[in-house]
Amino acid sequence: MTQTFLLDPAMAWAAFEARDRHSDGRFVGAVRTTGIYCKPSCPARHPKREHVTFYRDPAEARAAGYRACLRCKPDEVGRDRIAVARAVALLEAAEDMLALDALAAQVGYAPHHFHRLFKRATGVTPAAYARGLRARRAALALTGEASVTEAIYEAGYSAPSRFYEDGAKRLGMSPSAWKRGGAGVTIRWTIADTSLGAMLVAATDKGLCRVSFDEDETALRARFPEAEILPGGAALAALAAQVVASVESPERDQDLPLDVQGTAFQEAIWQALRAIPLGETRSYAELAAMIGNPSAVRAAGTACGANPVSIVVPCHRVQRGDGTLGGYAYGIDRKVVLRKREGVV
């Protein structure tokens, strides 16, 4: 059975009661006593449960004789998502940073309203998304350009100082260290025993950089060939114990620190994965829509596969649109067990 709001009225009502913004656009609730339908996050006072019927989209609710709520404007959810997707495309295509005013104007929204809309959909502000794009380009350029300075300009920074203020911080190391494949970064590791098998836990001084099953120090060195790889010892023991607890008792929120880098798209997907509540699932299409890029379903699946910290970023909560499990880097059997422990039937 697929545990989604679209198919389960009980889950839909729970989201409705919680005014869950992440569920906006996935269904509407129609109130028989008022004749209106609302999106889940509608701030209006909740009606009694027996007066509410859930529909897959506004068109179904209108066909049943209901009209849109004037307060939460559920018909605009689709428009909002289209605007965010268009803004993402504009940011991807831009050679220079786009000011918020210009970006919002191009998609037809007031700046402050669109700032909130974009962050709600992607998990980051338009400026942060653009900085992520530049940092990604810098990372790619630093592996191929003849000099660090050339790479910085190639990535779109107006001057090296701008890169050091922004990009270097995002990359997590100096540009010269990146050029040398991460030389100078210290990673500590351990193998932890779990009921699902041996699990590699590795972290920098900032946070977890690798959590995986069926891997060892050799795999870690292949992934980070220029880093200093050291046994974890007592310095990593407490953090590893928290990761193990996330496997065995997922209901306990560990709030673990991370030190991972990906493309701006990957990082948005990973943030969206962490926003999926315990016991719930999302399809790859829904995951793509959560970051305002509903057409990027295949890319969302690829980003899940690139997740460097399993369990902590819960890619096991994603499935195909037809309810089947889809893939999982560490085996479908583990995915099934993880979901059952979280209450997914």
Side-chain angles (χ1 to χ4, degrees):
M1 179 184 298
T2 302
Q3 191 169 354
T4 68
F5 292 140
L6 292 177
L7 302 178
D8 189 337
M11 294 290 288
W13 176 248
F16 203 74
E17 282 194 307
R19 294 187 170 90
D20 181 14
R21 290 185 178 277
H22 291 299
S23 297
D24 289 350
R26 300 181 61 229
F27 70 94
V28 294
V31 185
R32 287 190 290 275
T33 53
T34 61
I36 66 171
Y37 60 89
C38 302
K39 61 186 181 184
S41 66
C42 182
R45 182 178 179 181
H46 286 143
K48 293 182 178 179
R49 172 66 185 89
E50 59 266 25
H51 296 156
V52 181
T53 302
F54 296 104
Y55 293 96
R56 295 175 185 273
D57 53 44
E60 282 192 358
R62 289 194 297 271
Y66 294 93
R67 65 185 186 278
C69 173
L70 296 178
R71 186 170 183 181
C72 70
K73 301 179 180 179
D75 293 346
E76 293 187 3
V77 173
R79 174 175 172 259
D80 290 348
R81 287 183 173 175
I82 291 171
V84 171
R86 186 181 174 201
V88 167
L90 290 169
L91 291 170
E92 293 272 3
E95 293 185 2
D96 299 316
M97 291 284 284
L98 285 175
L100 175 62
D101 289 358
L103 183 66
Q106 289 191 61
V107 297
Y109 282 77
H112 293 299
H113 176 63
F114 187 68
H115 186 273
R116 292 193 299 269
L117 179 67
F118 191 97
K119 185 173 182 179
R120 187 168 67 235
T122 67
V124 295
T125 66
Y129 192 94
R131 288 194 296 270
L133 291 174
R134 290 200 307 184
R136 177 187 67 185
R137 292 166 184 159
L140 292 173
L142 282 165
T143 63
E145 292 296 319
S147 72
V148 169
T149 300
E150 289 178 11
I152 290 171
Y153 284 114
E154 177 68 19
Y157 291 93
S158 58
S161 60
R162 294 298 301 162
F163 174 80
Y164 283 93
E165 292 171 6
D166 176 17
K169 182 185 299 183
R170 185 175 180 83
L171 293 177
M173 61 186 76
S174 70
S176 59
W178 186 278
K179 183 78 174 179
R180 299 194 306 271
V185 176
T186 299
I187 298 176
R188 302 182 187 279
W189 67 277
T190 188
I191 301 295
D193 291 327
T194 79
S195 59
L196 297 181
M199 183 172 62
L200 172 69
V201 179
T204 67
D205 292 338
K206 294 180 180 179
L208 294 162
C209 62
R210 186 69 177 168
V211 175
S212 59
F213 291 100
D214 305 327
E215 289 188 343
D216 56 17
E217 180 186 3
T218 302
L220 188 66
R221 289 186 181 279
R223 182 174 288 270
F224 302 102
E226 301 301 326
E228 182 182 17
I229 308 293
L230 300 175
L236 189 60
L239 188 58
Q242 287 182 279
V243 178
V244 172
S246 294
V247 176
E248 310 299 347
S249 304
E251 72 279 0
R252 296 166 58 187
D253 184 8
Q254 302 294 334
D255 191 25
L256 298 169
L258 299 180
D259 186 8
V260 297
Q261 281 98 28
T263 67
F265 180 87
Q266 286 175 330
E267 291 184 10
I269 288 291
W270 298 340
Q271 289 186 44
L273 287 168
R274 297 192 84 184
I276 301 174
L278 184 74
E280 297 181 15
T281 63
R282 299 290 187 270
S283 69
Y284 293 105
E286 290 170 327
L287 190 64
M290 285 172 68
I291 69 163
N293 199 346
S295 64
V297 178
R298 186 179 297 274
T302 301
C304 289
N307 172 21
V309 283
S310 65
I311 309 300
V312 185
V313 172
C315 53
H316 56 273
R317 295 177 187 169
V318 186
Q319 61 198 25
R320 295 193 181 106
D322 61 3
T324 56
L325 291 181
Y328 189 58
Y330 307 108
I332 294 299
D333 289 344
R334 283 190 175 114
K335 187 171 186 176
V336 169
V337 173
L338 288 168
R339 289 155 64 97
K340 284 183 177 180
R341 288 179 180 175
E342 295 184 357
V344 178
V345 179

